[in-house]
Amino acid sequence: MPAFPPTFADEVVAKPAQAQFEAFLDEHRAALNACLDGLTEEQARRSLVASRTTLLGLVKHATFVEKVWFDEAVTGRSRAEIGIPAASEDSFLLDDEDTIATVQHAHREACEASRRATASLGVDDILRGHRRGPLPLRWVYLHVLRELAQHCGHADILREQLVNEAVGQAQAEDEAAPPSRHARAEGRPAR
């Protein structure tokens, strides 16, 4: 039997719409944050595509997304006040201080702040702080879910490339290594 994501659970299906939105958002938030687990700092920063997108940059951008839609849009504070770039494309840029640990931590904190910001709101409440203009929370949930799902897909592909590359390098190194003393003693062929 295939394993289903947590959002397939009966307890999620039976919840009101807002709780379902939060469950789906949290599932994608966690998946994106976890894409960095087990990687080296070099792997997390490596760009494998022409856009220079990196896994570390994707998670840093997801932090920006949380702050735009659940701080700026909810509170009306400016991006400068929040401490995020004015332009979305700049949110992917990495500083020397950005590490897997710091970016994951900042992302988790932003997600928690997002949950707090929407806890007293309803899905039909209008958020007036975003530069696009007034939007219902329901639309914001759907927009952020779409963006996170897209970035999770990007992260899956980038991570697969990095992991396969590392496995391939390890196999090549293993094959290039001289046979061990034990292999020679056991009569296994030399490579």
Side-chain angles (χ1 to χ4, degrees), residues 22 26 29-30 33 59-60 62-68 70-71 77 82-84 100-118:
E22 288 286 346
D26 283 344
R29 287 166 170 156
N33 194 287
V59 178
K60 186 174 181 179
T63 302
F64 168 85
V65 168
E66 295 287 338
K67 291 180 178 187
V68 164
F70 299 114
D71 189 339
R77 295 189 320 150
I82 297 168
I84 57 176
I100 292 170
T102 62
V103 169
Q104 282 182 315
H105 179 74
H107 180 248
R108 283 190 300 269
E109 282 188 338
C111 293
E112 184 55 41
S114 295
R115 286 184 211 97
R116 285 191 308 271
T118 59

Side-chain angles (χ1 to χ4, degrees), residues 67-80:
K67 291 180 178 187
V68 164
W69 292 106
F70 299 114
D71 189 339
E72 179 185 26
V74 173
T75 68
R77 295 189 320 150
S78 72
R79 293 180 183 192

